[in-house]
Amino acid sequence: LSASCDGSTKTFTITGALRILAVMSTQAPITYRPTTDWTFDASTTILTLTDAVSAPQTGQTLFALYVES
């Protein structure tokens, strides 16, 4: 997901994801809270960061631990 970090992007498509287990970053917050900081729609495989957190800045690392379908 890091390649999409540009300071404004808050939606990320994770092809093949069935369920997200954790979302983490090198930018605070380090570990994002499910529902509060992020949501995931398994039907579209889109991870969305909520208004509780800012979009990751360019150069930051953002990754998701997920279960493949």
Side-chain angles (χ1 to χ4, degrees):
L1 304 176
S2 299
S4 298
C5 294
D6 60 9
S8 62
T9 300
K10 293 183 77 173
T11 59
F12 306 87
T13 301
I14 305 176
T15 304
L18 178 64
R19 183 169 47 113
I20 303 291
L21 303 175
V23 177
M24 293 155 277
S25 175
T26 56
Q27 173 179 307
I30 301 300
T31 302
Y32 292 88
R33 301 165 294 175
T35 309
T36 302
D37 297 334
W38 61 270
T39 60
F40 179 69
D41 184 339
S43 66
T44 61
T45 67
I46 293 178
L47 168 72
T48 303
L49 300 179
T50 69
D51 290 338
V53 296
S54 59
Q57 297 299 310
T58 302
Q60 295 297 317
T61 299
L62 179 68
F63 59 97
L65 178 63
Y66 63 92
V67 176
E68 288 185 332
S69 55

